[in-house]
Amino acid sequence: NAGVTQTPKFRVLKTGQSMTLLCAQDMNHEYMYWYRQDPGMGLRLIHYSVGEGTTAKGEVPDGYNVSRLKKQNFLLGLESAAPSQTSVYFCASSRDLSYEQYFGPGTRLTVT
Amino acid sequence: ELKVEQNPLFLSMQEGKNYTIYCNYSTTSDRLYWYRQDPGKSLESLFVLLSNGAVKQEGRLMASLDTKARLSTLHITAAVHDLSATYFCAVDMRGNTGKLIFGQGTTLQVKP
């Protein structure tokens, strides 16, 4: 049981480049989330999904898009990366709204 | 807008001492979560508090929730070095939505 996995672990992009971060969970969870963590701050919710085929905006959605084509996968896309998107990105999943969220190991993204 | 504030943000304490971390939030919610993060690592769920007066304990950590005061506490008893980490509280944005707002985190350093 791998839990929540994220690909890649590290990435460096140039301004204007695009990329997709992949999150996968093997716990059959309905709910999945993407957060970003910046130094000295807590996590901020970017987008989330309450089930396969659904997505919704969180606190800081601008500059990001997401897709949930399969229940176990949640993709986060950056169409045109900006230095302000340099951050550590965490994916999480939960069985139900009342249960804790399980977090992946994170992706450290640097945009130069 | 829901705001979550933790204090202190940094805590240096001696082994064997007791201390409390406070988590205040600005709007009504009855779902609060505590997470631990080790440097460079992901977040690990510690406690899920789902109702007013909820109290949970695990080892040297005890968490409580007072929804009327909009306050949660994380109490550390007889601290040991292994408890050194950053602790986050997170509040469900509008109650049972899964959209969590995180506090800034409290970095705990336990010295021998």
Side-chain angles (χ1 to χ4, degrees), chain A:
Chain A
N1 212 354
V4 181
T5 58
Q6 292 182 233
T7 309
K9 289 187 169 51
F10 303 93
R11 186 72 187 267
V12 178
L13 287 180
K14 296 190 178 190
T15 297
Q17 287 185 320
S18 63
M19 78 163 293
T20 300
L21 282 67
L22 171 63
C23 175
Q25 52 94 3
D26 61 3
M27 296 175 282
N28 201 34
H29 286 171
E30 289 291 337
Y31 303 89
M32 297 187 75
Y33 313 84
W34 275 107
Y35 294 90
R36 60 178 287 172
Q37 183 177 32
D38 299 300
M41 297 179 71
L43 278 69
R44 290 182 293 169
L45 181 65
I46 304 171
H47 286 282
Y48 66 104
S49 169
V50 299
E52 181 178 319
T54 74
T55 63
K57 294 180 181 179
E59 260 186 289
V60 289
D62 294 341
Y64 304 96
N65 56 74
V66 287
S67 65
R68 182 111 181 259
L69 298 179
K70 293 183 179 180
K71 185 177 184 179
Q72 62 268 35
N73 295 337
F74 195 27
L75 278 65
L76 178 71
L78 286 73
E79 290 185 348
S80 179
S84 61
Q85 294 177 305
T86 294
S87 189
V88 180
Y89 291 86
F90 287 99
C91 175
S93 71
S94 66
R95 186 172 90 187
D96 187 88
L97 294 174
S98 299
Y99 288 82
E100 69 263 54
Q101 295 180 14
Y102 292 85
F103 283 81
T107 294
R108 188 173 294 274
L109 175 66
T110 302
V111 183
T112 61

Side-chain angles (χ1 to χ4, degrees), chain B:
Chain B
E1 180 189 346
L2 175 60
K3 291 186 179 178
V4 181
E5 294 186 345
Q6 291 181 232
N7 73 84
L9 298 183
F10 183 78
L11 177 57
S12 180
M13 57 193 296
Q14 296 290 116
E15 277 192 331
K17 298 291 187 182
N18 303 333
Y19 210 83
T20 300
I21 298 170
Y22 297 88
C23 174
N24 291 274
Y25 54 98
S26 60
T27 62
T28 302
S29 178
D30 58 2
R31 296 175 186 273
L32 191 138
Y33 305 79
W34 283 97
Y35 289 89
R36 168 183 172 144
Q37 185 178 37
D38 292 303
K41 302 291 186 183
S42 186
L43 280 77
E44 172 191 355
S45 176
L46 294 175
F47 300 108
V48 180
L49 303 170
L50 298 177
S51 61
N52 185 42
V55 177
K56 291 200 174 176
Q57 182 163 5
E58 179 75 32
R60 300 174 188 275
L61 300 177
M62 184 174 70
S64 65
L65 177 62
D66 181 343
T67 59
K68 293 178 182 175
R70 297 177 187 168
L71 172 69
S72 179
T73 60
L74 180 65
H75 186 72
I76 303 151
T77 302
V80 293
H81 180 69
D82 284 352
L83 290 179
S84 297
T86 298
Y87 295 85
F88 291 96
C89 65
V91 178
D92 195 295
M93 191 182 281
R94 294 193 187 93
N96 203 24
T97 64
K99 295 167 68 174
L100 300 184
I101 301 294
F102 280 76
Q104 315 97 302
T106 296
T107 298
L108 173 65
Q109 186 181 75
V110 181
K111 297 179 177 179

